[in-house]
Amino acid sequence: MPKHQNEKQGTMQTGASKIQQKAICHTIGPARVLAGPGSGKTFTIIQRLQYLVNTMSVSPDKILCITFTKAAALEMQERYLKQYHETRLAYGKVCFSTIHSICFHMLKESGEFRQYSLIKESQKRKLMEMQLKEVYHTNSYLNEKYSLSELVNYSMISEILDAVGKEKNGLIYESDELPRSCFKQIFTKYQDALQERKLLDFDDMTGCALKLLLQNITIREKWQRQFEHILVDEFQDVNDVQYQLIKLLALPQNNLFVVGDDDQAIYGFRGALPNIMKQFSKDYPDANLLFLAENYRSRENIVRFANQIISENTERIEKNADSKKKEGTICIICKESYTAEADCLLQDIQKLSREELSQSAIIVRTNREAEHYAKLLRNHYIPVRESQKTSPSVNRPILQSFIKEDFCAFLQFCMEGEKRSHFLKIMNKPERYLSRHALKGETVRENDFLEYYKNNPSMLETVKNFFAHIRRVKELSFSMAIRYYRNVMKYDDYLREKAGNKETEAEYLKTADELLMLLKKHKSNEDCMAFWNRIEEEMLTVTSQKADSTSSVDGISVLTMHSAKGLEFFHVFLPDVNEGIIPPKQCKTKDGLEEERRLLYVAITRAVDYLTIYYTKERGQNPSRFIRRFIPRQ
C-alpha cells in the first residue's frame, strides 16, 4: 500500500498524546490548535467529534465540520464512520462540508437565491466578453490603449476573470495595464450581468451568503441554531470573507474549534493569509491555544531542516516541531546543466525498488514543470501514478464542458417546447447545413423548414429525418434520449471531427460517457435545469462515497507543491530548486517571498525518510535563496 495517504495512522495505534488529548477534550468556547505537518490533526479532529457526541452528549446533527476540499471532507467523514463501526460509539449525521457547499445550501434555501444557479465556465467567458465590449465603447482610456481585439481575447478575458475572483476573495486588484477605475467599471458590469441572469459564480457564494446572514436575522438565527459546535480544518486556508461568515455562524456560543498551521498557508492568491491564526487569538482572547508539535511523519533530520527553512519567515507564530523518529537523509545536489540534472534524477529514481517507487514523489513548483517531468519519466519507461490532485480540472469539470451544454440544449429542445435558442445550439452538430434563416419565430416548426427548402429535395430529406428523430426522442428517458442523440443522430461523429486528434477525441468521448452516467439519475418530474442544478448541488455537497484519488497503476507521483499538501512519501525529489523558479522571478514583495518559502516548507515536509534536492548552474543560475545557506562554500 503506498504511503501517499493523508495523515498517518500512527497516533491511532498508540492513542492520543497529552497535547492531542487536551485538544480532543476541550469543552466549550473557542480553541485554536496549531497543527504542524504530520502531527495527527485529522486524528485529533475525529477523536474530538467522538468526545463531543459520546462524552458531552452533543447531538451529531448539531456539529458542523468545515474543510476546504471535497476530498478532505469525504475522507474525514469516512474516518469518522470507520471509528463508529470499530467502537460502536459515536455516530450520527455530523455535517462534513466544504465552506462553499454550506454557503450554497444557505443561498438555495433562501427565498432570494432559490432561483439562482452556478454559472458555467464557458458562460463566464462569454459574459465577460460581452461586458468588455460594452465598457470598451464607453471608456476613453481603453479606446486609446487597446484595439477591441487586444482587449477581448482569450488571455485578457482569463486575466480579468482571475482578477474578479481575487477581488471577491478580499484581494485588491492593482495593475499597470488596467487602472483600478477601469477594472471597477468592468467588475460592476459583470456583476450586474450575473444578477440579471440569476447566476452565481463560485467566488460569489461566500460573499453572498455572508451578506444574506448579515441582512436577514431570521435566516441568520436559523443557521446559528442549526450548529452548536463548529470545527474548521486547514484554518490557515480561510480568507477574510469566509472567516467573517464562520464567526457569524458560531454566535452566540462561540464553540469554534479551529485547526491549522500558518506555516502551511500557501493560498495567498485566494486571499488566504497566514495572519488568520494570529487574528483568531485577537478576536477570541480567551481561546484555548494549543500546539501539536510532534511530527509523526518525518524523521528528525528532515524535520530539523524544515524548521530551519521556515524560521526565516517573520510573519509567523514562533514554534519548533520535533520528531522522535531518528535520522533521515537529506541530499542537495548541484549539476552544471538541466540535462545533467534530469539525468541524475532519472538515475536516482531508477535505483528505487517497485514498492519504493510507488511511495515516492517528484514535487515541483508549477503545473508546466509537473507535465515536463511526467513526460520525461514516461519517455524513460518509468511508471507515473495518475492522481486527481494533479488534474487541472478536478473542480466539477464535466459540468463546465460544452458537451454538457449541448446535451442540455438537446433535451430542452426535445422535452421542453422546441425553442429557437436550444435549436440553434444543436441543429448542425453534426453538420446538416440547416439555416437559421428558416426560423420564423421563437418556436421551431418543421413546416417552416419544409417551406424554406421546398425546392431542395436533398435538404427536404434532411429536415424530415431530423424532426422524425426528435419525435422519437420525446418518448424516451433523458439518458436514452442522449444515447439516441449520440449514436443515431451522430453527435459522437461531431465530437470526433471537432477533436481533430485521437487524444482530444478520447477526452471528449469520456466526458460524454460520464455525462450519460449522470443522466441516469434523472427523476421523471424534473425539467432539465432542475436536474442539472440538483447534480451540481450533489457535486458540491459531501456524499458518503469517497472519490478514489489515484488510479490503480503503481508508479512515482509527480505533483506541484500546492497539490502535494496533505500527502506524504517515503522519498521526495525536489528538482529545479533554483532562484527564479522557487521563488519565481516576478516574486519581489516580502509577503510573496514568505509564501514561496512556505511552499518549499510544505514540499520538504512531505518526505518521510529521504529528501533529495537538485539545482543547476546552467547559464549562471544560482540555487534558491531558501537553501543557499545549507550549501557548503567551495
Side-chain angles (χ1 to χ4, degrees):
M1 184 73 179
K3 289 187 180 179
H4 65 298
Q5 305 294 329
N6 289 336
E7 296 298 331
K8 280 287 283 182
Q9 304 290 319
T11 49
M12 282 191 178
Q13 297 165 0
T14 59
S17 67
K18 288 182 179 179
I19 192 67
Q20 285 175 334
Q21 195 65 32
K22 284 185 178 180
I24 292 164
C25 297
H26 170 73
T27 52
I28 59 173
R32 186 199 73 185
V33 180
L34 281 172
S39 61
K41 69 177 180 63
T42 305
F43 163 76
T44 302
I45 292 171
I46 297 301
Q47 295 300 310
R48 173 153 179 78
L49 290 172
Q50 283 202 350
Y51 178 80
L52 289 173
V53 175
N54 298 326
T55 304
M56 294 186 64
S57 301
V58 177
S59 176
D61 60 7
K62 293 291 186 182
I63 302 172
L64 171 62
C65 188
I66 295 174
T67 66
F68 282 82
T69 66
K70 182 180 176 182
L74 287 166
E75 184 195 2
M76 200 166 287
Q77 181 183 53
E78 184 178 81
R79 286 178 62 170
Y80 173 73
L81 294 176
K82 183 180 178 183
Q83 287 288 291
Y84 159 69
H85 290 303
E86 288 179 352
T87 63
R88 289 290 171 190
L89 292 174
Y91 182 65
K93 294 182 179 179
V94 172
C95 180
F96 295 90
S97 175
T98 65
I99 188 73
H100 289 97
S101 179
I102 200 70
C103 289
F104 190 79
H105 275 296
M106 289 178 190
L107 296 174
K108 294 297 272 187
E109 287 186 17
S110 73
E112 183 180 350
F113 290 93
R114 190 168 294 145
Q115 302 303 316
Y116 279 64
S117 58
L118 283 177
I119 189 171
K120 308 176 193 71
E121 192 64 29
S122 57
Q123 282 180 294
K124 282 175 69 172
R125 302 191 68 85
K126 186 65 178 175
L127 200 59
M128 180 56 77
E129 180 181 340
M130 291 166 56
Q131 308 321 305
L132 284 174
K133 287 178 179 177
E134 285 192 30
V135 172
Y136 179 80
H137 291 303
T138 61
N139 189 294
S140 57
Y141 174 86
L142 293 178
N143 270 265
E144 292 172 9
K145 186 170 178 65
Y146 300 101
S147 68
L148 183 59
S149 61
E150 287 174 328
L151 184 68
V152 186
N153 61 41
Y154 190 90
S155 61
M156 182 63 87
I157 290 172
S158 298
E159 182 180 332
I160 294 174
L161 282 173
D162 182 59
V164 167
K166 289 179 177 178
E167 188 87 8
K168 291 179 181 182
N169 284 308
L171 297 176
I172 302 299
Y173 175 77
E174 293 180 0
S175 170
D176 294 334
E177 295 297 312
L178 196 65
R180 178 137 185 94
S181 59
C182 290
F183 172 74
K184 286 297 290 182
Q185 188 180 357
I186 295 167
F187 182 91
T188 301
K189 289 281 291 181
Y190 176 70
Q191 286 303 104
D192 289 345
L194 288 175
Q195 179 78 14
E196 182 183 339
R197 292 162 177 78
K198 296 192 180 302
L199 292 169
L200 293 168
D201 73 20
F202 200 69
D203 294 308
D204 281 322
M205 282 192 283
T206 48
C208 288
L210 176 59
K211 185 177 178 181
L212 178 70
L213 295 184
L214 288 170
Q215 294 180 347
N216 192 315
I217 189 170
T218 303
I219 293 175
R220 179 170 74 244
E221 289 180 347
K222 170 191 177 294
W223 285 97
Q224 287 172 339
R225 288 193 301 272
Q226 176 66 45
F227 301 115
E228 293 177 5
H229 286 263
I230 299 176
L231 294 81
V232 185
D233 186 24
E234 302 288 7
F235 183 66
Q236 77 281 344
D237 294 340
V238 171
N239 64 37
D240 185 62
V241 175
Q242 294 164 348
Y243 182 41
Q244 298 307 321
L245 179 81
I246 290 167
K247 286 199 299 181
L248 198 58
L249 277 180
L251 291 172
Q253 301 99 323
N254 286 332
N255 291 328
L256 185 54
F257 184 90
V258 303
V259 183
D261 179 11
D262 59 325
D263 288 334
Q264 297 184 74
I266 57 174
Y267 295 110
F269 59 90
R270 296 180 191 165
L273 302 174
N275 61 10
I276 195 79
M277 304 296 290
K278 290 181 178 178
Q279 187 60 46
F280 184 90
S281 299
K282 293 177 182 176
D283 293 341
Y284 301 98
D286 297 327
N288 192 6
L289 305 180
L290 300 160
F291 173 40
L292 305 184
E294 185 170 353
N295 185 320
Y296 296 94
R297 173 191 299 147
S298 306
R299 295 192 177 275
E300 64 178 354
N301 289 341
I302 295 170
V303 173
R304 188 181 302 115
F305 179 66
N307 286 340
Q308 290 172 313
I309 293 282
I310 200 62
S311 66
E312 295 292 315
N313 276 2
T314 57
E315 294 300 317
R316 64 186 292 263
I317 299 170
E318 288 294 328
K319 52 191 171 298
N320 206 44
D322 58 42
S323 172
K324 291 184 172 62
K325 295 167 69 175
K326 301 299 181 185
E327 301 177 342
T329 301
I330 302 169
C331 295
I332 300 178
I333 298 171
C334 173
K335 291 294 176 182
E336 293 298 323
S337 68
Y338 282 114
T339 301
E341 180 190 42
D343 288 342
C344 181
L345 172 65
L346 288 169
Q347 290 169 19
D348 290 343
I349 290 172
Q350 287 165 341
K351 294 173 186 175
L352 300 173
S353 69
R354 183 184 178 115
E355 182 182 3
E356 290 170 340
L357 188 73
S358 67
Q359 297 173 1
S360 299
I362 297 173
I363 302 178
V364 292
R365 177 63 185 85
T366 67
N367 279 317
R368 181 177 293 181
E369 289 173 276
E371 290 166 8
H372 164 73
Y373 280 104
K375 183 177 180 181
L376 176 70
L377 294 170
R378 292 189 181 104
N379 287 344
H380 287 79
Y381 306 102
I382 297 172
V384 177
R385 176 179 291 275
E386 302 293 341
S387 169
Q388 283 186 348
K389 273 210 162 189
T390 62
S391 168
S393 56
V394 298
N395 197 4
R396 308 183 317 284
I398 62 174
L399 294 190
Q400 298 172 347
S401 70
F402 73 91
I403 300 172
K404 183 255 179 176
E405 290 183 35
D406 289 347
F407 284 2
C408 192
F410 178 76
L411 291 169
Q412 287 176 303
F413 179 75
C414 296
M415 312 295 189
E416 298 172 20
E418 298 185 353
K419 294 179 182 177
R420 175 192 180 100
S421 58
H422 302 145
F423 176 76
L424 291 172
K425 279 182 176 280
I426 65 167
M427 64 180 186
N428 288 316
K429 296 178 180 179
E431 185 62 71
R432 298 181 179 90
Y433 301 99
L434 295 173
S435 171
R436 66 175 59 212
H437 296 300
L439 296 165
K440 292 185 178 180
E442 289 304 310
T443 301
V444 179
R445 303 185 190 282
E446 182 178 3
N447 286 340
D448 293 338
F449 278 86
L450 293 174
E451 174 65 23
Y452 185 81
Y453 290 113
K454 63 185 178 183
N455 298 318
N456 187 332
S458 174
M459 286 304 297
L460 281 174
E461 190 65 25
T462 297
V463 169
K464 289 175 182 177
N465 283 336
F466 178 83
F467 283 96
H469 288 318
I470 298 302
R471 285 190 288 274
R472 292 188 192 105
V473 165
K474 289 179 184 292
E475 307 301 319
L476 302 176
S477 66
F478 273 26
S479 60
M480 290 303 295
I482 291 301
R483 192 181 295 277
Y484 188 96
Y485 181 45
R486 293 180 63 189
N487 299 320
V488 181
M489 296 180 70
K490 306 299 184 185
Y491 180 79
D492 279 8
D493 288 352
Y494 158 75
L495 290 180
R496 293 184 181 97
E497 185 177 348
K498 179 179 174 67
N501 60 67
K502 289 295 183 183
E503 185 177 347
T504 306
E505 177 186 322
E507 179 187 332
Y508 285 171
L509 293 176
K510 180 183 177 184
T511 297
D513 289 342
E514 290 174 348
L515 286 164
L516 186 59
M517 291 297 292
L518 285 177
L519 282 161
K520 292 181 179 180
K521 298 182 177 183
H522 175 252
K523 298 174 182 177
S524 58
N525 62 339
E526 285 180 312
D527 64 26
C528 192
M529 290 310 296
F531 166 73
W532 289 117
N533 281 338
R534 178 170 64 82
I535 293 298
E536 191 168 37
E537 184 172 348
E538 286 178 5
M539 285 191 164
L540 276 169
T541 306
V542 175
T543 68
S544 60
Q545 298 175 350
K546 182 178 180 182
D548 182 13
S549 64
T550 60
S551 74
S552 59
V553 179
D554 283 339
I556 191 167
S557 296
V558 183
L559 305 162
T560 65
M561 292 177 178
H562 282 102
S563 60
K565 188 166 174 286
L567 304 178
E568 62 177 51
F569 302 91
F570 159 76
H571 195 146
V572 166
F573 300 90
L574 302 180
D576 303 332
V577 185
N578 275 88
E579 194 72 14
I581 296 176
I582 174 78
K585 292 176 184 176
Q586 64 270 26
C587 182
K588 296 186 179 355
T589 67
K590 178 188 174 187
D591 288 345
L593 289 170
E594 294 214 344
E595 178 154 324
E596 291 294 318
R597 189 179 279 108
R598 291 193 294 271
L599 267 172
L600 183 61
Y601 174 77
V602 165
I604 289 167
T605 53
R606 303 310 96 195
V608 174
D609 293 300
Y610 295 91
L611 173 68
T612 306
I613 297 173
Y614 308 83
Y615 70 95
T616 178
K617 290 183 177 179
E618 186 165 305
R619 294 192 293 274
Q621 290 199 77
N622 294 312
S624 168
R625 69 186 72 187
F626 302 147
I627 64 167
R628 212 168 289 162
R629 68 188 177 106
F630 302 101
I631 299 170
R633 292 178 180 269
Q634 296 182 353

